[in-house]
Structures are given as C-alpha cells and as structure tokens.
Amino acid sequence: MGGKGSLTVARIRGIPIRLHFTFLIILPYLAYILAKTSPSLARMAGVRPDALLLPPLALGALLGVGLFVCVLIHELAHVFVGLRGGAKVQGVTLMLVGGVSEVTEFPARPSFEAAMAVAGPLASLGLAALCLAGFHLAGAGVADLRFSLYYLSFMNFALAIFNLIPAFPMDGGRILRAVLAMLTNRVRATRIASWVGQGLAIVFLLAGLYSLNWVLILIGVLVVAGARAEFEMVKSGSVMEGLTVASAMLRFPPTVEAGDSLASVLARMERELKTTYFVLEHGALVGAVSAEDARRSASSPSFARAADVMRREVPTLSPEQDLASASRTLRTSGMTILPVTQAGALVGSVSFSTVAAAVRAREAARAVEPKAPREREAT
Ligand SMILES: [Zn+2]
C-alpha cells in the first residue's frame, strides 16, 4: 500500500500523512448518511433535531472530517509508540475503511509490539471519554456542539471496541499474537492467532448470513483475508530467518550522475537492459530514476537531467539488516530495486529477483542438509 492513488497532505515528525482517493468518495457519503440519520441520532443525544443550527449536510461533512481526525489520532498513537520500540513506519494513509499505517518493520520485542497495538484502541477510548466529558460539560449549550460531541464519543468507542476484536487485521489480532509470542515463538504465535481469527471470521460470516447483516459479512471477509496475509508474511519471514540483506545483495549497482542528461540515461537503459538507476551527486545517493519516471517525463525539455526526473524518496537498506524486513520495505516502496548503503556510501542493490534467488538458494541448502534434530522430533 504505497503512495499510489494518494496525496501527501502533511508530515508529522517526518512521517507523510496521505489521503487516499477513496477517502474523497467516502466523505460526501458519510455526510449524506449523517444528514439522513441526524434526527434519530440527535434524539439519542438528547438534542431536539429542530434545535440544530447547521444544515444536516454541513453538520454531516464536519462530523465526517472530525471522525477522520480521530482515526488519524488512533493511527498516530500506534506510530509513535511503535517508533519508540524500534518500528519503521513509511506513512499513514487515510482511506475508505479508515486509517492504515504502513509499517515496514514491527518492533522485535513482543512487549513493544503489544504496546504498539494497544496504543490505538487506548487513544480511541481516551478520545471517547474526552468527547463524553465535553458533551456533559456543554450542558444545555449549542445543540450542534452537544450533538457532535455525543456522536464522536460514540464513534470513538465503537472504533476502539471494533479494533480490539482478536483477529488480523484488527489491532486485537496483533495484541493476541504479541501475547502468544511471549509464550512461544513468533511463527507459532502467528499461526495460533491466525486460527483464532479465522474461527471468529466463520462466526461473523454465519451470524451475518443468518441475520442478513452485511457489516458482519464484510468483517468476516476482512478477517479471513487479514489472517491469510499475516500468516503468509510471517511464513515467508521464517524462510528468510537468519538471512541478511548482504546475502541477497548485488555489488556494483547501476548508477548515473545527477547531471547526466535524460537522453543518455534512456540510452543506457536500452543498451544495458536495466530499468532503474541510482542517482549520485558528489558520490552521495540522492535518488533513483526508473524507466517509468523517464517515460512519465518524456515530454520534458531536451536539456532535462537525471536529477529533474528522479524519485527523491528512496528507502535505503543496510547490509546487516534482516532480509525479511528488507523485503517488506521493497514491497511497500513501489520500486523493483532498492539501494544498500553503508556509512552513507552506496555499496549494492537488492531487487525482487535477488531476494527470490537468496530464498531459493537457502531452501535448496536446507533440502540437502541432514534434517535438524528439532524437525525430526516434530514428526
Ligand atoms: Zn489500530
């Protein structure tokens, strides 16, 4: 879930906050739904519907924005606690279904992973309590304000509870996995958490079909997909266990100079059959230029240089980094090859094909190795 189809609207402590295009669709929809249901919601809040000053659609739009600010705070709570525990976060994207933090590396210690997962629902519960307190303090004040605080308190509470469901991709799934990982290893913890999640998914699906409740059905589908994705991720991680970036790194990565003309870069791509070049300026890595970047700027003036068309935000890897986390970074980067740097100098590159080759080599080596005693015990 990279930056495709989304717009960076802000940066908080260097982390890009993006709006996904689906967010622009859901906002008018939310405003419409809120406008339609505002009379009954107002009665629930103990506010007379005719006391509302704002037109229902305007109030709906405001509450939609308020809700997404709350979702953003929930995601940032995960991110800030995660960063303290050593997580790597590439960005937060607000989209159709809420917020998604693009975490390329979770904290290694289960206790930190649990803290990171719990931070979001705790933030939502805190917001719910704050809004509820505000609702009571507002007394018989402006109806719109009381109504808004009541609504946001309810929604934040619902968000916290929903996320505490112990199934991936909800936070509860991560909390469960982290707790299990303290008792056993991470792969087995994920397997058990994934079973629990899929069991719950079946309950949601059956209950949804029985009551014809499409929200329950949707949650069921989401949880099945989440459980599978999480397990695949950890399983492929376990094949890579012990492998580092150095084992999948090619030396002498293809480079061009920032001042090289676009025409010469294109000529080299054709001649050397490479689709991405790292861009150096005074020996330092400043970006990367891919065939797509070049094609997108095909209409650039003839004097365009590599630096004019290159992509500046390029994640870098280090040779000692574990390969599993590097491959996650690669997958979320939207690039096919990433630079490896050491003490600021470019020393190599890792691509999907070199990662696959390293994994295949590892599997082949394991196949000819005599079976480890631990594996024999298991059978
Ligand atoms: Zn969360």
Side-chain angles (χ1 to χ4, degrees):
M1 257 172 270
K4 284 205 183 85
S6 54
L7 185 75
T8 302
V9 287
R11 263 168 205 284
I12 299 179
R13 288 209 220 159
I15 295 164
I17 310 298
R18 308 190 190 97
L19 282 187
H20 195 254
F21 79 94
T22 52
F23 174 81
L24 300 174
I25 299 170
I26 198 72
L27 199 59
Y29 177 71
L30 254 180
Y32 168 75
I33 290 291
L34 284 169
K36 266 195 84 170
T37 54
S38 65
S40 57
L41 280 174
R43 269 190 290 277
M44 275 171 68
V47 173
R48 279 189 14 250
D50 56 356
L52 294 174
L53 299 173
L54 285 174
L57 265 180
L59 188 59
L62 270 179
L63 287 179
V65 172
L67 190 57
F68 273 91
V69 170
C70 292
V71 170
L72 179 60
I73 293 173
H74 173 115
E75 291 303 321
L76 288 177
H78 285 308
V79 169
F80 290 152
V81 172
L83 289 178
R84 281 174 165 260
K88 285 189 183 155
V89 182
Q90 287 208 313
V92 173
T93 303
L94 296 180
M95 55 200 297
L96 188 69
V97 290
V100 175
S101 299
E102 288 129 46
V103 181
T104 51
E105 203 173 331
F106 282 97
R109 286 206 4 226
S111 53
F112 280 125
E113 195 187 7
M116 181 180 181
V118 128
L122 272 186
S124 294
L125 282 178
L127 284 170
L130 268 180
C131 291
L132 194 64
F135 168 74
H136 284 297
L137 283 176
V142 187
D144 298 66
L145 180 66
R146 297 190 65 220
F147 172 66
S148 303
L149 288 169
Y150 183 84
Y151 171 79
L152 288 177
S153 167
F154 176 80
M155 289 308 285
N156 274 299
F157 185 71
L159 191 67
I161 298 304
F162 173 70
N163 267 296
L164 285 173
I165 296 173
F168 297 118
M170 266 74 84
D171 298 328
R174 290 191 186 286
I175 298 170
L176 176 64
R177 191 254 304 274
V179 171
L180 288 169
M182 290 179 207
L183 307 170
T184 170
N185 67 55
R186 200 175 142 85
V187 176
R188 192 181 295 159
T190 306
R191 193 176 293 142
I192 300 171
S194 162
W195 283 338
V196 172
Q198 292 187 53
L200 277 173
I202 292 169
V203 173
F204 285 132
L205 281 173
L206 287 179
L209 289 171
Y210 181 73
S211 59
L212 290 178
N213 184 333
W214 65 269
V215 175
L216 282 177
I217 297 175
L218 196 70
I219 294 174
V221 172
L222 193 72
V223 167
V224 170
R228 285 179 131 201
E230 192 67 27
F231 187 61
E232 282 306 313
M233 194 169 126
V234 173
K235 204 177 70 182
S236 73
S238 82
V239 174
M240 292 183 199
E241 218 171 276
L243 289 180
T244 59
V245 164
S247 65
M249 177 179 99
L250 285 184
R251 280 166 206 290
F252 312 113
T255 60
V256 293
E257 289 297 320
D260 285 357
S261 72
L262 182 55
S264 74
V265 175
L266 287 171
R268 275 190 62 188
M269 280 178 186
E270 262 186 85
R271 201 169 57 237
E272 296 169 8
L273 301 178
K274 293 205 161 73
T275 54
T276 304
Y277 286 83
F278 299 121
V279 182
L280 299 179
E281 192 167 32
H282 309 301
L285 180 71
V286 290
V289 57
S290 68
E292 283 93 77
D293 298 328
R295 200 185 49 207
R296 233 182 293 119
S297 36
S299 55
S300 304
S302 54
F303 52 81
R305 302 166 313 137
D308 300 328
V309 302
M310 73 184 182
R311 169 186 168 136
R312 285 165 200 279
E313 282 176 44
V314 179
T316 58
L317 308 172
S318 70
E320 315 77 51
Q321 190 180 348
D322 66 292
L323 191 58
S325 85
S327 112
R328 281 196 293 278
T329 306
L330 180 60
R331 268 198 305 257
T332 53
S333 69
M335 298 179 62
T336 53
I337 181 169
L338 287 181
V340 182
T341 58
Q342 196 165 31
L346 181 67
V347 293
S349 65
V350 164
S351 67
F352 285 112
S353 58
T354 67
V355 172
V359 168
R360 277 202 299 274
R362 156 63 79 90
E363 282 173 333
R366 273 188 182 174
V368 294
E369 253 171 29
K371 275 215 161 49
R374 186 170 52 88
E375 277 173 283
R376 266 208 306 271
E377 264 168 40
T379 55

